[in-house]
Amino acid sequence: MVVLNSAKCVVRRFALLIFVLGLVCADDPYRLFDWTVSYGDIWPLGVRQRGILINGLFPGPNIYAVTNDNLIINVHNNLPEPFLISWSGLQNRKNSFVDGVSGTTCAIPPGQNYTYKLQAKDQIGTYYYFPSTAFHKAAGGFGAIKILSRPLIPVPFPPPAEDYSILIGDWYKSDHQKLKGTLDGGHKLPPPDGILINGRGTPSNIAVFTIEQGKTIRLRITNVGLQNSLNFRIQGHTMKLVEVEGIHTLQTIYDSLDVHVGQSYSVLVTGDQAPQDYYIAVSTRFTDKALNTTAILSYTNSARKASGPIPDAPTANDIDWSLNQARSIRNNKTASGPRPNPQGSYPYWNITISRTIILESSAAQVNGKQRYAINSVSYVPSDTPLKLADYYKIGGVFRVNSLPDNPTHEPMYLDTAVLSADYKAFVEIVFQNHEDIIQSYHINGYNFRVVGMDKGEWSTDSRKQYNMVDALPRYTTQVYPKSWTAVLVALDNLGMWNVRSEFWARQYLGQQFYLRVFGNVNSTRDEYRIPPNALKCGRAIGLK
């Protein structure tokens, strides 16, 4: 009853807004969300700490939508500091103004609200949202996004009996402000304290997912953590991979899956074992000390609780195992995507690469403080979102191409790093990792085809091993220690887009930049105007 009454309240609140927006796009449905963001007590690892709640929930509420739905999300900020939500994997076509990162969108001031208007344009699959400001991600405020196919669009597997979102991630017992203070003071963070599954991480506070014997369920697994790659597995059961970050995959069977920070996978699990409870196990990968946690897969006619050994993870530092698994994940070219045509029909193998960009990570001290960089540039935020500065032609906020195309191996320095690229260019991006840790990178506004990854240093000869047949498009990719990963991307989405490390302390201390995809034609056909309700901050205050 409470949910129904709340829904009626939201409908009344947005009635006029629906009418106005309906004039613009009457054919695509609207889904309305009214969120209040606040602090509250949470106990994810058995100790009380301050967490970020959305409508009183940790993790936040799920977003359910269908391809091309318009999402109207009214966010009330009840925190005592500015707050901003980003939408990982949603491409926000032609509209980087609402991307929800500091380079594109002003944060919501304390005590105020902002209404996001997003559209799941030509997208299906599994995504998530998270807070992008002030290291808030370490306090919560994240949740799952599930975009279903439109009716009559074929999906390459039968409808599952249940469809669960599973958010996994490492977690600290320390308050996020203390963690932020450590970073601001120029220090590295200690290792995380534990692993959460849907906000739960202790034996007395465990997540449970039910399955009916003989039926098949879908698990949408997303790593929303701060730094650790995680391995996911289910006692006594295999998993059939069917979707990765909005793309149907060849349906391969796995005993366990490595899910790197920021990544999302969908698997099908069939209840073909004896009716009882089974462990779902999650463990850190490539760490000196492994962190572990469990959830439960419970048969509806379960006869006994989970017992026996928890299934083992792959060898902690077995890079070859993980690398080979990553290479085995392929695009299902015959499956329909968001439209009825096969999703693999895009002939990326026949398109001439117009530009090669090599991005090399590094870690160093700058002015006695720990920083991280890409191509020697450690990003520092400006006083005005870069997209607003670009739109209003405000000088002095950033320099175009302040990030070089290739590593310079200069000493690390601070700058508001922006790399400009031509609209509709077809670009090769190589993520080069000379460090001894695994890394994970995300590009907002796009998905890209992961065509190659290997140990060592990339060279032009590395192209000989590219997958130019069925490489998987995705929005986040891992880069193994002392290795490289190459991706191809068609820059068909105008705007200012964040490219970042998903290792959140590294992102916070500079391992990110903005990709300015620029076209000479000023037309709403290619890019929307600034939203009429856009917040103004910095040097954009007062501009119309």
Side-chain angles (χ1 to χ4, degrees):
M1 184 64 69
V2 172
V3 173
L4 291 175
N5 289 340
S6 298
K8 291 176 182 177
C9 177
V10 172
V11 169
R12 287 195 296 269
R13 182 175 297 174
F14 287 107
L16 180 59
L17 181 61
I18 297 171
F19 174 74
V20 173
L21 293 175
L23 297 177
V24 178
C25 189
D27 294 332
D28 296 319
Y30 285 83
R31 295 183 185 267
L32 311 176
F33 304 85
D34 195 40
W35 288 358
T36 297
V37 179
S38 61
Y39 282 127
D41 289 339
I42 57 175
W43 290 262
L45 290 178
V47 297
R48 187 175 72 175
Q49 61 187 121
R50 183 176 60 160
I52 293 178
L53 312 179
I54 299 180
N55 290 355
L57 300 176
F58 169 79
N62 290 345
I63 292 178
Y64 298 92
V66 175
T67 302
N68 291 350
D69 279 358
N70 293 282
L71 309 178
I72 311 302
I73 306 172
N74 188 28
V75 179
H76 304 263
N77 179 18
N78 283 3
L79 304 184
E81 64 263 4
F83 182 80
L84 194 57
I85 293 180
S86 189
W87 320 93
S88 188
L90 290 189
Q91 294 180 12
N92 295 319
R93 303 290 303 177
K94 305 190 293 184
N95 193 12
S96 63
F97 292 105
V98 297
D99 208 35
V101 286
S102 66
T104 63
T105 314
C106 294
I108 307 169
Q112 297 187 29
N113 73 298
Y114 178 70
T115 301
Y116 291 88
K117 179 183 181 295
L118 314 171
Q119 188 181 25
K121 180 66 175 173
D122 288 336
Q123 289 189 267
I124 57 171
T126 306
Y127 311 92
Y128 72 102
Y129 62 86
F130 68 96
S132 62
T133 43
F135 220 64
H136 283 135
K137 191 179 181 186
F142 46 73
I145 302 175
K146 182 188 304 183
I147 304 177
L148 305 177
S149 296
R150 289 175 290 175
L152 305 182
I153 301 295
V155 175
F157 49 87
E162 297 287 349
D163 190 334
Y164 295 108
S165 293
I166 302 182
L167 303 179
I168 59 177
D170 49 21
W171 190 259
Y172 287 89
K173 294 178 182 178
S174 299
D175 187 87
H176 74 284
Q177 291 283 19
K178 181 179 179 181
L179 299 175
K180 178 178 177 294
T182 298
L183 296 173
D184 290 340
H187 305 290
K188 297 180 181 179
L189 293 182
D193 296 307
I195 305 296
L196 304 186
I197 301 176
N198 282 4
R200 304 180 181 194
T202 64
S204 61
N205 183 25
I206 196 167
V208 178
F209 306 92
T210 60
I211 186 170
E212 187 176 344
Q213 194 166 31
K215 297 294 181 68
T216 296
I217 62 174
R218 180 175 183 172
L219 305 180
R220 299 172 183 259
I221 309 156
T222 298
N223 186 339
V224 298
L226 298 173
Q227 68 182 64
N228 287 138
S229 298
L230 300 174
N231 182 265
F232 183 96
R233 55 208 182 273
I234 305 174
Q235 182 185 28
H237 293 74
T238 58
M239 299 176 289
K240 180 186 290 186
L241 184 66
V242 293
E243 177 250 337
V244 172
E245 296 170 9
I247 301 296
H248 294 304
T249 64
L250 293 180
Q251 296 181 10
T252 307
I253 303 296
Y254 295 98
D255 293 320
S256 69
L257 275 172
D258 276 355
V259 186
H260 306 281
V261 185
Q263 294 185 343
S264 295
Y265 292 81
S266 279
V267 299
L268 299 181
V269 177
T270 299
D272 55 5
Q273 300 298 309
Q276 65 177 64
D277 293 353
Y278 295 88
Y279 290 117
I280 297 173
V282 178
S283 304
T284 57
R285 299 279 278 131
F286 316 112
T287 54
D288 293 334
K289 178 183 177 181
L291 298 174
N292 303 276
T293 196
T294 57
I296 294 295
L297 179 68
S298 178
Y299 280 62
T300 54
N301 58 340
S302 175
R304 62 190 180 102
K305 294 182 178 180
S307 62
I310 296 172
D312 291 331
T315 304
N317 293 312
D318 191 347
I319 294 171
D320 289 334
W321 184 94
S322 187
L323 178 60
N324 288 333
Q325 181 179 86
R327 288 170 172 163
S328 72
I329 300 173
R330 302 298 184 96
N331 183 21
N332 185 347
K333 297 198 298 181
T334 63
S336 294
R339 298 185 180 188
N341 54 300
Q343 61 181 7
S345 59
Y346 182 71
Y348 71 96
W349 50 85
N350 283 333
I351 302 174
T352 301
I353 295 171
S354 57
R355 183 178 178 184
T356 296
I357 299 169
I358 301 176
L359 304 175
E360 182 181 276
S361 68
S362 59
Q365 297 270 318
V366 179
N367 300 324
K369 292 187 175 184
Q370 182 66 47
R371 298 291 302 185
Y372 302 95
I374 296 174
N375 290 355
S376 299
V377 186
S378 185
Y379 181 86
V380 289
S382 63
D383 61 2
T384 305
L386 310 183
K387 183 58 185 173
L388 295 187
D390 208 21
Y391 185 82
Y392 287 116
K393 296 180 172 54
I394 303 171
V397 175
F398 69 91
R399 297 181 296 113
V400 175
N401 290 326
S402 50
L403 183 88
D405 269 26
N406 290 275
T408 63
H409 303 119
E410 297 178 32
M412 187 182 296
Y413 61 96
L414 308 180
D415 202 349
T416 304
V418 175
L419 182 63
S420 190
D422 293 334
Y423 181 46
K424 295 189 177 179
F426 191 70
V427 175
E428 175 185 45
I429 299 177
V430 179
F431 297 100
Q432 181 69 60
N433 180 15
H434 290 303
E435 301 180 71
D436 58 2
I437 65 166
I438 191 167
Q439 304 209 40
S440 184
Y441 285 94
H442 177 90
I443 302 179
N444 278 13
Y446 286 94
N447 61 19
F448 45 77
R449 291 182 187 265
V450 182
V451 292
M453 54 178 63
D454 205 352
K455 297 178 180 178
E457 185 161 1
W458 181 90
S459 69
T460 53
D461 284 342
S462 302
R463 293 173 181 152
K464 295 176 182 178
Q465 60 176 281
Y466 281 6
N467 175 5
M468 301 302 281
V469 178
D470 57 0
L472 187 71
R474 58 188 312 164
Y475 53 77
T476 306
T477 186
Q478 71 272 29
V479 190
Y480 291 98
K482 299 187 183 303
S483 301
W484 57 267
T485 295
V487 307
L488 300 178
V489 55
L491 299 180
D492 59 355
N493 194 11
L494 281 175
M496 188 78 70
W497 304 105
N498 189 226
V499 182
R500 62 175 179 266
S501 169
E502 288 289 321
F503 188 145
W504 213 242
R506 284 178 166 252
Q507 177 272 349
Y508 184 81
L509 293 181
Q511 198 170 320
Q512 62 171 307
F513 68 93
Y514 282 83
L515 181 65
R516 178 180 182 260
V517 181
F518 180 76
N520 291 319
V521 178
N522 185 15
S523 169
T524 54
R525 178 195 63 187
D526 299 327
E527 185 175 23
Y528 296 139
R529 301 283 184 246
I530 188 170
N533 68 331
L535 297 172
K536 305 294 175 61
C537 54
R539 289 178 245 182
I541 292 175
L543 298 179
K544 297 182 180 180

